[in-house]
Amino acid sequence: MNKKYFLYYWLPPIVLILVIFFSSSQSYEQQDIRPQLARYLNMYQVEQMFSGVRFYYEGTEVSVQSMGPSGFLEFFIRKAAHFGTNFLLGFLIYRALVYYTYFSIQKRVIGSILFIFGFASLDEIHQVFVSTRTPRLADVFVDSIGGLVGIVICMLIYIRIENLSKN
């Protein structure tokens, strides 16, 4: 593997993995954005807009009433971060596997999916060892779905590129 290939294809997912690992190593208190949300957003309006929203996430009620308006918003920001980082990771892993032309599209997709699911699982297991963090099976699901969407989009882009180059 040449250096240019490594820097272009493998360094981005490796850096992202390290960022995710670092983020997962922080306690909840270190990542708490509720004070900033309360400072910059009108929590009364948030409460009014979302007072009727109530559901359960792994047995915990998610609502403005149970979490407060800033906690309610933070819940969705955290889940979007799970989805978004794993979307990008899935995209980058599939992109790195494109270089191996002897892998069929099916092998690239399966390999990328297995990687994303495995990484999401390990990331949640890692949180067992971090104070005030809780591993959640539902987060593995959110991470995996984000990664899967990233993989599919990357695959479609590369299929489109291959079809354009044939014409």
Side-chain angles (χ1 to χ4, degrees):
M1 175 183 338
N2 72 34
K3 191 174 175 181
K4 184 177 176 183
Y5 164 78
F6 173 80
L7 290 174
Y8 185 74
Y9 287 101
W10 284 108
L11 189 59
I14 289 169
V15 168
L16 183 56
I17 288 167
L18 293 173
V19 167
I20 293 169
F21 182 80
F22 172 76
S23 178
S24 291
S25 298
Q26 294 180 313
S27 68
Y28 175 78
E29 290 78 15
Q30 291 173 295
Q31 294 182 339
D32 188 2
I33 62 168
R34 292 175 300 173
Q36 289 81 12
L37 292 172
R39 185 178 313 131
Y40 296 110
L41 298 175
N42 182 330
M43 289 299 119
Y44 177 76
Q45 285 181 336
V46 171
E47 191 168 354
Q48 296 304 305
M49 288 174 61
F50 298 107
S51 63
V53 177
R54 173 176 285 134
F55 62 93
Y56 288 86
Y57 188 81
E58 281 205 345
T60 301
E61 182 180 327
V62 177
S63 67
V64 171
Q65 292 78 16
S66 67
M67 306 171 98
S70 58
F72 181 78
L73 287 178
E74 183 187 50
F75 171 84
F76 288 100
I77 291 168
R78 285 178 171 274
K79 298 313 156 199
H82 273 271
F83 184 92
T85 55
N86 283 279
F87 170 94
L88 183 57
L89 185 57
F91 187 98
L92 292 172
I93 291 295
Y94 185 88
R95 178 178 159 262
L97 293 178
V98 168
Y99 178 80
Y100 303 102
T101 55
Y102 50 86
F103 284 165
S104 65
I105 289 175
Q106 293 84 358
K107 286 181 180 177
R108 291 179 204 153
V109 169
I110 290 169
S112 299
I113 290 171
L114 289 174
F115 179 86
I116 285 295
F117 179 75
F119 181 75
S121 300
L122 289 173
D123 184 46
E124 291 302 310
I125 290 168
H126 167 242
Q127 291 183 27
V128 169
F129 306 102
V130 178
S131 67
T132 69
R133 295 295 295 265
T134 306
R136 297 190 181 273
L137 188 58
D139 285 348
V140 173
F141 180 74
V142 172
D143 294 348
S144 297
I145 294 299
L148 180 62
V149 173
I151 291 164
V152 168
I153 288 175
C154 190
M155 176 192 68
L156 292 173
I157 289 169
Y158 274 97
I159 288 172
R160 177 81 171 142
I161 289 168
E162 287 173 10
N163 287 339
L164 289 174
S165 66
K166 290 177 185 176
N167 293 332

